[in-house]
Amino acid sequence: MIFNTGAALLDAIVLAVVSRDKDGTYGYRITQDVRQAITISESTLYPVLRRLMKEECLDTYDRESGGRNRRYYKITSKGQAQLLLYIEEWKLYSQKVNQILITDCL
Amino acid sequence: MNRQEFLDALERELQNVSEKEREEALQYYREYFDEAGPENEEVVIRELGSPLRVAGMIRRDIGWQEDDDGLAEDDNHEQIAVWEEESEAEGEEKETASESDTSAYTSQGDGQQKQSFPEKVKAFFSGDGKTIKIIMAIVLGIVLLPFIMDVIGFLVGCVVAVAAVVACPLLIGISLIGATIGIMIAVPFAGMVAGIYGVLCIEGVCLIIMGIGLLFTILGVYLLRAFLPFFWRETLKCIRWIGKSVQNI
């Protein structure tokens, strides 16, 4: 994976992954899912999750599972709105990049 | 390195952040290790990288939340921003922030802060413990208030003192004249009892005093005319200087 991911794109991907589950998911799962799309270091995720939480795009709650505690992250309505914004931006952006890299070059 | 060593190192590196933040971070990674399972412990540790680096990212994120059109780290490769963040950030802030970003994220540990002071101030107040920091700032302001008031009081006092000195002769002059006029009017009535020579004497003295009063008045007016513009200019200069230094802070 050659292209590095900026913080906004990372936020968008994390929000999208979390929004897939109505009840949210937990950190480990989120990391695995995100890494299906982009190559990032596992240590990158926590700061992102933390920041999204502080910005009130994500909520957290704890749930017991298999005798130990699990912290779940859930998308908020603000997070949902932010995600929609990101999606629109990404459509525009990827379209322009595609135009230059793919369409114009061939 | 094993799981406990990693967590211990992380806890050490996060000594300087608030306890809440530290605990949350540690809890996250403890759970992460739990989820991965003991069989994957080595893999996870390898993937997570150095605990110092992890702590650095967390500290940076806690301290410089404003900074985030920053970059995800991927094995210490140089950061090239692919995604421009059009966020609520003001244009100026965004520009300087994205310039400093590349250097901020490629440096190790705490990261260099090449932001200007207003950004630092803003970032400082947007970071963790926002409320506490605001409260601290207010408390500091209250504590320093007497000092500030003293300084202002002193300056005002100086100005008032000088103004008084300048105005003094005028005031003396006017009061002297006023008093003597009063006496001069009253005396003849008293003199009808005291005798003409007494009256003439007192009138004479009154005239002399009135003369002195007039001199003082003239001196006062002259001083005022000479110094008022000067004081006015100097005061304006001081105010402008204060304004400039506050802006440059």
Side-chain angles (χ1 to χ4, degrees):
Chain A
M1 173 97 182
I2 313 174
F3 303 101
N4 286 337
T5 319
L9 185 53
L10 198 45
D11 280 4
I13 293 177
V14 169
L15 284 173
V17 162
V18 174
S19 74
R20 289 209 285 241
D21 282 285
K22 185 169 59 75
D23 293 325
T25 48
Y26 49 96
Y28 187 74
R29 264 281 301 280
I30 300 174
T31 310
Q32 303 309 310
D33 289 347
V34 168
R35 291 180 94 211
Q36 281 175 357
I38 51 176
T39 313
I40 50 160
S41 162
E42 290 185 14
S43 52
T44 315
L45 249 314
Y46 177 66
V48 174
L49 287 170
R50 191 192 150 275
R51 188 183 60 238
L52 288 171
M53 213 177 69
K54 288 284 189 262
E55 292 170 359
E56 293 173 357
C57 290
L58 290 179
D59 259 339
T60 62
Y61 62 92
D62 291 333
R63 199 196 278 174
E64 278 270 326
S65 163
R68 54 165 194 271
N69 192 42
R70 241 189 215 165
R71 172 155 285 177
Y72 280 76
Y73 296 83
K74 202 171 80 164
I75 195 166
T76 63
S77 49
K78 182 176 175 194
Q80 200 80 50
Q82 188 68 29
L83 177 58
L84 290 173
L85 264 166
Y86 279 140
I87 291 176
E88 286 313 303
E89 282 297 323
W90 174 254
K91 283 186 194 162
L92 286 170
Y93 178 75
S94 56
Q95 195 186 53
K96 287 189 215 158
V97 174
N98 284 337
Q99 184 71 32
I100 293 181
L101 286 183
I102 302 176
T103 325
D104 287 349
C105 269
L106 295 177
Chain B
M1 178 174 279
N2 68 17
R3 160 189 171 144
Q4 198 52 48
E5 286 169 355
F6 182 92
L7 290 171
D8 287 341
L10 188 60
E11 185 171 6
R12 260 200 319 275
E13 289 299 315
L14 290 178
Q15 272 309 314
N16 295 335
V17 310
S18 75
E19 185 178 335
K20 179 161 172 280
E21 291 289 345
R22 188 168 56 242
E23 266 316 302
E24 283 190 3
L26 288 169
Q27 184 192 351
Y28 177 87
Y29 286 105
R30 273 189 215 115
E31 281 181 22
Y32 196 89
F33 276 111
D34 286 342
E35 288 297 334
E39 65 275 14
N40 288 323
E41 189 177 303
E42 263 194 54
V43 178
V44 170
I45 291 185
R46 208 180 335 123
E47 294 272 354
L48 287 174
S50 142
L52 287 95
R53 201 168 128 256
V54 173
M57 286 169 64
I58 296 173
R59 277 202 307 262
R60 219 167 18 232
D61 220 58
I62 291 178
W64 307 110
Q65 255 173 230
E66 280 288 291
D67 220 347
D68 264 345
D69 53 4
L71 312 156
E73 290 200 56
D74 189 359
D75 293 77
N76 286 322
H77 288 167
E78 226 199 332
Q79 304 315 311
I80 310 161
V82 176
W83 185 263
E84 282 292 319
E85 184 178 48
E86 284 132 358
S87 58
E88 320 87 292
E90 298 161 74
E92 183 193 309
E93 231 176 83
K94 186 181 75 165
E95 256 175 68
T96 37
S98 42
E99 277 169 50
S100 65
D101 256 346
T102 325
S103 43
Y105 264 83
T106 47
S107 58
Q108 322 113 320
D110 275 338
Q112 264 82 50
Q113 292 105 32
K114 295 193 183 153
Q115 299 159 303
S116 64
F117 193 83
E119 281 166 9
K120 280 188 191 173
V121 172
K122 241 195 146 182
F124 179 74
F125 279 113
S126 305
D128 173 51
K130 192 173 171 177
T131 329
I132 294 184
K133 285 178 183 170
I134 292 179
I135 292 176
M136 273 170 55
I138 293 176
V139 168
L140 198 66
I142 294 175
V143 165
L144 285 181
L145 195 61
F147 169 72
I148 296 171
M149 287 173 69
D150 278 342
V151 171
I152 295 177
F154 170 71
L155 290 171
V156 171
C158 283
V159 171
V160 169
V162 175
V165 166
V166 166
C168 206
L170 184 62
L171 293 172
I172 294 176
I174 293 178
S175 35
L176 275 177
I177 294 176
T180 50
I181 290 178
I183 295 175
M184 283 177 81
I185 296 175
V187 149
F189 296 97
M192 285 188 214
V193 181
I196 191 87
Y197 292 113
V199 172
L200 280 174
C201 232
I202 294 177
E203 298 279 18
V205 170
C206 284
L207 277 171
I208 296 176
I209 297 178
M210 183 131 86
I212 300 176
L214 265 170
L215 274 174
F216 269 102
T217 313
I218 295 171
L219 176 65
V221 170
Y222 171 74
L223 277 177
L224 272 176
R225 274 189 61 206
F227 284 107
L228 251 179
F230 170 71
F231 280 131
W232 187 244
R233 261 181 275 123
E234 290 303 304
T235 312
L236 279 178
K237 264 198 230 163
C238 279
I239 294 175
R240 253 180 250 130
W241 173 83
I242 293 174
K244 263 197 212 142
S245 13
V246 168
Q247 271 182 8
N248 286 338
I249 288 176

